[in-house]
């Protein structure tokens, strides 16, 4: 009996731990959202605000499981509302009498907001969305009586502020969950991933598919983690040092993953042509890195372990550098020029991987020390910014769609003269703004519509049966509302229900009788519900029409933008940081793979192009930097020639230019190699760097055939 | 202090500008406290932050509604 009991208790323990891990947070979130919503409703009813539904609606829009997200979304909601209210006061002051100008400026404003919402990331985008649709909410209902606009603007603003105060205070006081904690564990996991991937030489030199899959995991998550970091800045606890460390880690991780992938691609490309002994030399070169990491495969890092690893990596760095020089001397007479270049650039990549890994470990150690004791081991003075890039064609298209929806629904209003058509306009504009940034907008609109219909049914039951039958005061109203609010909160935690829950929140809040005094009549209810549903249909039609992103078009756009980046690197300012190059490239590809319609194969292809661009761009920057500090008489004409022909190739790519470029690169490398290296150590090192980078560019271009001349059609 | 004040020709309760000012003050205080690592010694940072804000906001309010 006793023996049986123990496993049962253990089982129960495990089950309850699992429950605490996964279900309890959702339950807590539901309770929090419901309480915040009801408090907002109560406060705005007590303050006699004309439209308490806006406050409770705000709570549900802003509420997120983690407080950092709530803070940043609230901040942008307040800013967006202020701007929107200000613009509507201006518009009503200027154009209330003149429909043509009113509609024109309305359309321009919505276009600007959609474009800006599309261009910016995270909740910044949400601020613009709000600035756009606040105009609809404030200006349209009072179009007949323009003098009331000030009152409605003030009350709208107060309601939003009440909602936001409730949401933020409740989410930070009641069982707060902090974004910085999840950031911490994500960083630890990522660091562990890096170490375990690099500890296995097969992940670079192996060709087996299962190892490949593990290695592709290496590269994901840069953009997402950066967003988490930005939002966690609104929480307390994470101070400036912490944020700096995260920025640096992210940046170093990007560099490391680029180097890793280039090394892998390089090995895969040169393997068939080279002699096995050269391959084994390369594997030997890598061996010290792997052996120092292998002892370290667990996910719990202590500072002492890390210290030891850093020490070992430092030693490995010295020995590998020496060995490469020896091997180069040894192999130079044996190999032909192509293989020699391949060897030099691969060895060079291994050295770079090692030194970047070393830096990454040092930063992580410093972060660990900072979290443990508050002191850091390295000073991080340089500010690394995560820059983004959005394609202007996509932005223009989004603006066109936003303004188009507004104009068409305005036309609908003018043609029908239906008083409820303003609600059609509002909802169509809201959807046009809000859903445009989601991965598949059309599906989201369809789900929004389903959610809307469900909400209308719920609202009808509430308006005509439950509220008049069972409520007499605020307390009873809160009691009957609580289950629906909890349900909505649960829906918002499920990613697959996101469109649905959004539609439900919008229509339920606007259709439910949440006025200070109960006033509802069936005709009005049905007409406004109909108006909202028509609005959703209009917005859906817009997404259906302005949605001609085919796979091949997306590919062409990406290729063009990446090519232009290299051209900019060739001729632009030298102050461009590698981090800017890396982060814009990654952000761009991430955006295209969510917005454009890429299949698995072509998105892998696009990722390859990205790596190529990053690698070549970095090499060009490094060549140009070395050239700048090289004495003029060591500056061979051939280096400038090589750079110029690289620029021309990426400016106007074609097969013949590519052949010419390869010959130019070969010639200039040859010329550099027959010349004597300068006696002075620093100058000689710089020239050596230029040669290494040129060899790298040449090997990369020699072995990759799909970019920038897009030959393969991977869209089928 | 008066209950209402007039700013830019708009009459509003004095609480409103006080609220805005105390929000700014709160942000500054919060920045200083998080950078000096003060929040690591606090049991419930969220509650503490809210309480600090309530203190900052209600002190001038006491002057109005005395």
């Amino acid at each position: 009996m006793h023996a049986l009991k123990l496993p049962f208790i253990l089982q129960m323990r495990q089950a309850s731990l699992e429950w605490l891990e996964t279900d309890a947070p959702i339950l807590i979130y539901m309770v929090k959202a419901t309480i915040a919503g009801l408090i907002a409703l109560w406060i705005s009813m007590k303050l006699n605000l004309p439209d308490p539904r806006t406050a409770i609606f705000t709570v549900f829009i802003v509420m997120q499981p983690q407080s950092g997200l709530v803070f940043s979304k609230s901040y942008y909601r307040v800013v967006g509302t202020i701007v929107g209210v200000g613009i509507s006061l201006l518009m009503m002051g200027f154009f209330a009498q003149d429909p043509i100008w009113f509609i024109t400026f309305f359309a321009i404003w919505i276009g600007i907001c959609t474009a800006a919402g599309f261009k910016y990331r995270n909740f910044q985008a949400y601020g613009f969305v709000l600035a756009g649709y606040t105009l609809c909410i404030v200006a349209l209902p009072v179009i007949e009586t323009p003098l009331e606009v000030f009152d409605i603007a003030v009350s709208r603003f107060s309601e939003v502020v009440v909602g936001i105060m409730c949401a933020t205070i409740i989410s930070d006081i009641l069982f707060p969950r902090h974004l910085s904690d999840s950031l911490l564990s994500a960083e630890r996991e990522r660091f562990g991933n890096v170490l375990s991937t690099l500890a296995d030489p097969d992940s670079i030199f192996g060709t087996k598919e299962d190892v490949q899959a593990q290695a592709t995991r290496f590269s994901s998550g840069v953009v997402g983690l950066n967003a988490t970091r930005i939002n966690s800045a609104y929480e307390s606890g994470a101070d400036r040092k912490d944020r700096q460390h995260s920025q640096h880690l992210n940046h170093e991780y990007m560099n490391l993953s680029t180097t890793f992938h280039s090394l892998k691609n390089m090995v895969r490309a040169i393997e068939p042509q080279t002699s096995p002994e050269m391959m084994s030399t390369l594997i030997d070169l890598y061996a010290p890195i792997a052996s120092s990491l292998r002892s370290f495969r667990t996910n719990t890092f202590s500072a002492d372990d890390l210290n030891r690893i850093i020490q070992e990596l430092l030693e490995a760095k010295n020995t590998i550098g020496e060995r490469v020089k020896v091997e180069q001397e040894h192999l130079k007479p044996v190999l032909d020029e192509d293989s020699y270049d391949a060897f030099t650039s691969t060895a060079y990549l291994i050295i770079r991987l090692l030194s970047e890994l070393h830096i990454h470990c040092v930063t992580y150690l410093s972060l660990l020390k900072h979290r443990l004791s508050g002191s850091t081991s390295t000073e991080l003075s340089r500010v690394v910014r995560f820059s983004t890039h959005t394609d202007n064609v996509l932005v223009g298209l989004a603006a066109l769609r936003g303004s188009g929806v507004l104009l068409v629904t305005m036309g609908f209003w003018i043609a029908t003269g239906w008083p409820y058509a303003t609600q059609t306009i509002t909802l169509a504009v809201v959807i046009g703004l809000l859903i445009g940034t989601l991965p598949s907008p059309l599906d989201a609109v369809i789900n929004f519509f389903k959610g809307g219909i469900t909400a209308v049914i719920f609202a009808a039951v509430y308006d005509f049966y439950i509220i008049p039958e069972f409520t007499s005061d605020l307390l009873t109203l809160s009691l009957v509302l609580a289950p629906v609010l909890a349900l909505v909160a649960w829906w918002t935690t499920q990613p697959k229900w996101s469109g649905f829950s959004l539609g439900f929140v919008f229509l339920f809040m606007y259709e439910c009788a949440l006025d200070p005094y109960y006033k509802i009549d069936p005709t009005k209810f049905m007409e406004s519900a109909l108006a909202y549903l028509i609005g959703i249909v209009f917005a859906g039609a817009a997404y259906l029409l302005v949605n001609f992103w085919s796979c091949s078009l997306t590919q062409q756009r990406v290729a063009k933008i990446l090519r232009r980046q290299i051209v900019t690197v060739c001729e632009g300012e030298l102050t461009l940081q590698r981090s800017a190059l890396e982060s814009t490239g990654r952000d761009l590809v991430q955006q295209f793979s969510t917005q454009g319609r890429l299949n698995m194969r072509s998105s892998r292809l696009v990722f390859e192009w990205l790596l190529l661009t990053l690698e070549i761009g970095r090499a060009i920057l490094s060549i140009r930097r070395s050239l700048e500090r090289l004495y003029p008489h060591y500056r061979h004409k051939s280096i400038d020639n090589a750079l110029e022909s690289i620029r021309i190739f990426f400016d106007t790519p074609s097969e013949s230019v590519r052949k010419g470029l390869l010959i130019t690169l070969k010639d200039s490398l040859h010329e550099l190699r027959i010349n004597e290296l300068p006696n002075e150590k620093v100058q000689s090192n710089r020239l050596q760097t230029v040669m290494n980078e040129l060899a790298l560019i040449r090997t990369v271009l020699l072995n990759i055939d799909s970019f920038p001349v897009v030959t393969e059609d991977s869209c089928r | 202090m008066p209950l209402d004040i007039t700013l830019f020709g708009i009459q509003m309760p004095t609480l409103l500008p006080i609220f805005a000012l105390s929000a700014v003050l709160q942000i500054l205080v919060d920045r200083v406290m998080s950078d000096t690592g003060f929040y690591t010694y606090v049991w419930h940072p969220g509650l503490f932050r809210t309480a600090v804000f309530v203190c900052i906001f209600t002190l001038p309010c006491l002057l109005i509604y005395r």
Side-chain angles (χ1 to χ4, degrees):
Chain A
M1 199 65 195
H2 213 77
L4 271 173
K5 214 165 189 173
L6 198 66
F8 177 71
I9 289 173
L10 274 180
Q11 268 175 10
M12 285 307 283
R13 205 180 118 85
Q14 205 167 15
S16 55
L17 276 181
E18 211 177 288
W19 183 84
L20 273 180
E21 191 88 349
T22 55
D23 295 336
I26 295 178
L27 204 64
I28 289 173
Y29 171 70
M30 279 161 66
V31 172
K32 273 160 72 172
T34 313
I35 290 177
L38 293 178
I39 291 179
L41 184 72
W42 185 77
I43 290 178
S44 33
M45 292 240 182
K46 280 285 166 197
L47 293 180
N48 240 341
L49 296 172
D51 218 7
R53 66 194 65 193
T54 311
I56 187 169
F57 174 71
T58 301
V59 169
F60 274 85
I61 289 294
V62 166
M63 209 61 183
Q64 305 273 342
Q66 279 127 346
S67 13
L69 294 175
V70 182
F71 292 155
S72 69
K73 207 170 178 183
S74 306
Y75 174 71
Y76 288 111
R77 190 168 166 101
V78 170
V79 173
T81 308
I82 290 175
V83 172
V85 164
I87 288 287
S88 20
L89 288 178
L90 277 183
M91 290 255 307
M92 291 307 278
F94 287 149
F95 309 118
Q97 317 293 329
D98 192 345
I100 307 266
W101 282 108
F102 182 78
I103 292 174
T104 314
F105 273 88
F106 209 145
I108 291 175
W109 177 246
I110 297 292
I112 292 172
C113 287
T114 322
F118 199 81
K119 196 165 173 70
Y120 286 90
R121 291 307 121 75
N122 309 326
F123 296 131
Q124 258 166 337
Y126 184 70
F128 286 106
V129 168
L130 223 83
Y133 86 77
T134 304
L135 185 55
C136 296
I137 291 174
V138 174
L140 286 180
V142 290
I143 194 87
E144 306 283 336
T145 51
L147 289 180
E148 283 174 21
V149 70
F150 188 74
D151 291 337
I152 200 169
V154 169
S155 64
R156 160 90 187 158
F157 182 68
S158 328
E159 286 147 10
V160 168
V161 169
V162 167
I164 280 172
M165 294 289 287
C166 295
T168 45
I169 290 178
I170 291 294
S171 82
D172 209 29
I173 287 185
L174 262 177
F175 303 104
R177 283 180 65 208
H178 290 296
L179 213 52
S180 36
D181 299 337
S182 56
L183 186 66
L184 193 72
S185 63
E187 250 158 26
R188 189 165 50 217
E189 192 183 340
R190 187 168 78 173
F191 188 68
N193 245 342
V194 168
L195 292 194
S196 66
T197 312
L198 292 182
D200 187 6
D202 274 352
S203 63
I204 291 175
F205 298 99
T207 44
K208 278 176 283 168
E209 275 306 310
D210 54 325
V211 183
Q212 297 270 342
Q214 189 215 358
T216 45
R217 217 182 39 199
F218 195 115
S219 71
S220 58
V222 174
V223 181
L225 214 55
N226 187 59
T228 318
R229 183 185 58 68
I230 290 173
N231 290 325
S232 74
Y234 288 86
E235 289 173 347
S236 62
D239 55 48
R240 194 157 12 98
K241 271 269 162 45
D242 247 20
R243 290 200 289 276
Q244 248 175 2
H245 275 99
S246 305
Q247 276 169 350
H248 275 261
L249 279 180
N250 213 18
H251 164 64
E252 287 159 9
Y253 176 77
M254 281 195 284
N255 290 351
L256 198 57
S257 98
T258 306
T259 311
F260 172 76
H261 282 278
S262 326
L263 179 59
K264 217 161 90 75
N265 283 349
M266 184 77 87
V267 167
R268 207 169 47 200
I270 63 174
E271 200 179 14
Q273 313 148 21
T274 49
S275 56
E277 65 196 284
M278 186 175 126
M279 279 318 286
S280 66
T281 320
L282 286 174
I283 294 176
D284 270 0
L285 277 182
Y286 188 78
I289 305 179
S291 68
S292 67
L293 294 183
R294 194 163 301 143
S295 56
F296 200 65
R297 277 201 157 169
T298 49
N299 265 1
T300 48
F301 316 115
S302 70
D304 294 339
D305 284 351
L306 258 178
N307 249 333
R308 187 174 48 76
I309 286 212
I310 289 169
Q311 211 52 47
E312 280 178 27
L313 285 179
L314 202 62
E315 280 162 25
K317 211 159 135 182
N318 293 333
T319 48
I320 289 180
E322 293 302 314
R323 281 217 33 205
V324 168
K325 282 212 180 92
V326 173
E327 295 289 343
Q328 264 178 336
E329 290 303 316
H330 182 66
L331 288 170
K332 199 168 185 176
V334 195
L335 296 174
D336 62 286
E337 207 143 81
D338 281 1
S339 312
Y340 181 69
D341 275 357
F343 177 77
T344 318
S345 24
T346 316
Y348 181 62
L349 277 177
I350 292 179
I351 295 176
R352 210 174 82 206
L353 184 77
L354 177 58
S355 66
E356 280 170 4
L357 180 66
H358 178 236
I359 296 172
H360 195 55
C361 288
V362 169
T363 315
Y364 193 82
L365 178 68
S366 164
L367 178 71
L368 269 188
K369 278 189 182 160
H370 176 59
R371 292 233 168 98
L372 288 179
S373 59
S375 66
T376 48
S377 49
T378 44
E379 272 309 307
L380 304 165
S381 52
R382 202 159 55 90
V383 177
V384 190
R385 288 194 54 203
F386 191 91
S387 28
T388 56
H389 176 97
T390 314
D391 186 21
N392 287 331
V393 173
L394 280 180
V395 173
L397 214 64
L400 197 73
R401 189 169 54 205
S403 312
V405 167
L406 179 81
L407 289 177
V408 170
T409 44
M410 279 281 186
F412 171 75
W413 185 27
I414 293 169
T416 56
W418 188 28
Y420 290 94
T422 53
Q423 296 174 354
T424 306
I425 299 173
T426 307
L427 203 61
V429 168
V430 167
I431 297 174
L433 286 161
L434 205 58
I435 293 183
T437 47
L438 296 182
S440 56
L442 201 58
D443 294 341
V445 175
I446 291 169
N447 285 330
F448 194 98
F449 191 75
K450 286 180 194 162
I453 288 185
T454 320
V456 169
I457 297 168
F458 268 74
V461 173
Y462 266 84
D463 282 0
F464 301 114
Y465 178 63
I466 297 181
I467 292 181
E469 197 79 1
F470 296 105
T471 65
S472 53
D473 55 1
L474 256 173
L475 183 67
T476 41
L477 180 65
S478 305
L479 280 179
V480 296
L481 271 180
V484 182
L485 299 186
L487 185 67
V488 172
W490 181 69
W491 273 331
T492 47
T493 58
Q494 313 291 317
K496 62 177 177 185
W497 289 85
S498 67
F500 183 88
S501 67
L502 208 58
F504 190 91
V505 170
F506 261 89
L507 265 82
F508 184 77
M509 296 302 170
Y510 281 102
E511 289 301 319
C512 195
L514 296 175
D515 307 289
Y517 303 101
Y518 178 78
K519 48 166 188 198
I520 205 86
D521 91 83
T523 337
K524 220 171 126 185
F525 174 83
M526 276 189 246
E527 276 202 274
S528 71
L530 188 65
Y532 282 132
L533 292 180
I534 291 175
I536 303 177
V537 173
F538 269 119
Y543 280 112
L544 201 62
L545 288 176
V546 191
N547 191 13
F548 46 76
W549 278 94
S550 67
C551 171
S552 56
L553 192 65
T554 311
Q555 272 192 5
Q556 274 170 22
R557 287 292 309 169
V558 175
K560 196 170 163 205
I561 295 167
L562 290 178
R563 257 183 20 225
R564 209 179 298 145
Q565 273 205 334
I566 294 192
V567 175
T568 331
V569 165
C570 283
E571 56 190 15
E573 291 281 312
L574 252 184
T575 46
L576 184 71
Q577 297 277 348
R578 183 179 170 196
S579 62
L581 193 73
E582 294 257 3
S583 53
T584 38
R586 275 164 205 275
D587 186 63
L588 176 88
V589 167
Q590 158 101 2
Q591 198 183 19
F592 268 105
S593 41
T594 52
Q595 295 289 331
R597 327 208 153 284
L598 292 175
N599 53 25
M600 269 310 277
R601 190 146 143 262
S602 58
S603 53
R604 195 186 296 164
L605 200 69
V606 164
F607 184 65
E608 240 167 64
W609 298 347
L610 170 72
L611 282 175
L612 196 78
T613 314
L614 295 181
E615 194 54 59
I616 292 180
R618 189 204 53 74
I620 292 173
L621 276 183
S622 141
I623 292 177
R624 286 185 58 193
R625 289 222 174 94
S626 309
L627 274 188
E628 202 162 57
R629 294 191 207 122
L630 211 59
Y631 295 150
H633 54 278
Y634 296 128
R635 250 187 105 140
H636 294 278
K637 197 90 194 77
S638 55
I639 306 175
D640 293 324
N641 277 345
L643 279 182
E644 180 60 17
S645 47
I646 292 171
R647 192 187 67 76
I648 291 172
F649 173 57
F650 282 96
D651 209 11
T652 51
S654 71
E655 203 46 47
S656 58
V657 181
R658 185 181 132 107
K659 284 202 181 92
L661 171 65
L662 285 174
I663 293 170
T664 319
L665 282 176
K666 192 172 180 175
D667 287 350
S668 48
L669 266 175
H670 188 72
E671 199 179 321
L672 285 175
R673 278 198 184 122
I674 50 174
N675 278 318
E676 283 277 305
L677 280 177
N679 285 329
E680 208 184 323
K681 180 101 171 134
V682 183
Q683 292 287 316
S684 142
N685 275 346
R686 281 184 191 141
L687 209 58
Q688 193 69 46
T689 316
V690 172
M691 274 153 63
N692 284 341
E693 302 284 10
L694 277 179
L696 182 69
I697 294 179
R698 178 160 176 270
T699 321
V700 166
L701 285 177
L702 200 63
N703 291 308
I704 286 173
D705 47 17
S706 70
F707 180 76
V709 192
V710 181
T711 47
E712 185 194 5
D713 188 8
S714 62
C715 286
R716 302 244 165 78
Chain B
M1 271 202 278
L3 279 179
D4 293 298
I5 59 167
T6 313
L7 270 185
F8 312 114
I10 303 163
Q11 199 185 25
M12 60 174 86
T14 322
L15 286 185
L16 205 63
I18 289 181
F19 184 82
L21 282 181
S22 42
V24 173
L25 193 62
Q26 153 80 4
I27 289 171
L28 292 178
V29 169
D30 184 59
R31 185 67 52 82
V32 169
M33 285 205 267
S34 69
D35 276 354
T36 51
F38 180 74
Y39 283 128
T40 44
Y41 302 104
V42 174
W43 165 65
H44 193 323
L47 193 61
F48 184 77
R49 274 168 118 189
T50 318
V52 167
F53 178 73
V54 170
C55 294
I56 293 174
F57 178 51
T58 46
L59 273 178
C61 293
L62 285 178
L63 288 178
I64 303 174
Y65 292 99
R66 200 168 25 165

